[in-house]
Amino acid sequence: MVYCLLCAAVIIVLLCVKIYLLKKSAREISAQFADRLKNDTNNQLFISSGDKDMRELADNISRLLGEVRKEKLRYDQGNTELKNGITNISHDLRTPLTAIYGYLDMVRKTDDPEKQARYLGIMKERADMMKQLTEELFRYSVIVSDDENTETENVYVNQVLADSISSFYPALNGRGIEPVIKLTDKRIERRVNKAELSRVFSNLLNNAVKYSDGDLEIVMSDTGVISFSNTAKELSTVEVEQLFDRFYTVETAHYSTGLGLSIARTLVERMGGSITAGYSSGRLTIKIMI
């Protein structure tokens, strides 16, 4: 009887010690959890207990805190980027709008038909710029908010690229650019959304029109790798690294939201491919692998 009572007493003491240590570990986790939320640190949660389950709990909380911290960092970066983008876009929209109001006032003050026609022509040009900006913003919002799977089909990539180049010939010739085109004779076929692939090529060609110093080389290899290369001495290595960022615009690219290459990257990655930009000896090269 005495032996049983002694055993029971020992068990109770051990349970009390166990409960005390668990409560101590819980307090340690709670205190450190609050500290990690308040301070930007990657330090792991530490507990004095050797209990396997409590240590696993601390490790899991540390891992989740790390993920929360990464999400917060992405949110803060995106928020800053968005604010800067809104500022830049507001400026780009306000500039042509101010010009339209100025020339409208000049039209009212003159009876000269030639001057009125010239002023109206300038106003239309500025209005077209505003339309281009707003349409680009709308397209971007539609693309990034489209969570549904887009319809795909087997697409002859060579033909889509050739069609896109043909449609840009007037714009390229307007800049004095005669593109050098080297497309493989091998049929490159991918299961993608044809309209989205065409949008990617159009955005890259539009980028070449903006930044090229007068040349453009388009190459498609037998493996399906496509490169757009042109001389762009006004660009820097830092600017090239930022070309795919949302709302980023190089100073020489007037009236642009900076969304063209960002849209291209989003679409290419949605297709399971990759897109990169390189800069060497004053030459910009953008490569796509789908």
Side-chain angles (χ1 to χ4, degrees), residues 101-118:
Y101 271 102
Y103 282 105
L104 181 60
D105 188 53
M106 294 172 69
V107 168
R108 290 172 177 171
K109 292 180 179 180
T110 181
D111 294 326
D112 188 331
E114 292 186 3
K115 289 183 178 180
Q116 288 180 341
R118 181 161 60 88

Side-chain angles (χ1 to χ4, degrees), residues 32 48 90 105 108 115 120 130 148 204 231 250 271 274:
Q32 292 178 68
S48 56
S90 297
D105 188 53
R108 290 172 177 171
K115 289 183 178 180
L120 288 172
M130 292 181 65
E148 299 181 0
L204 292 175
T231 304
V250 178
M271 297 174 196
S274 64

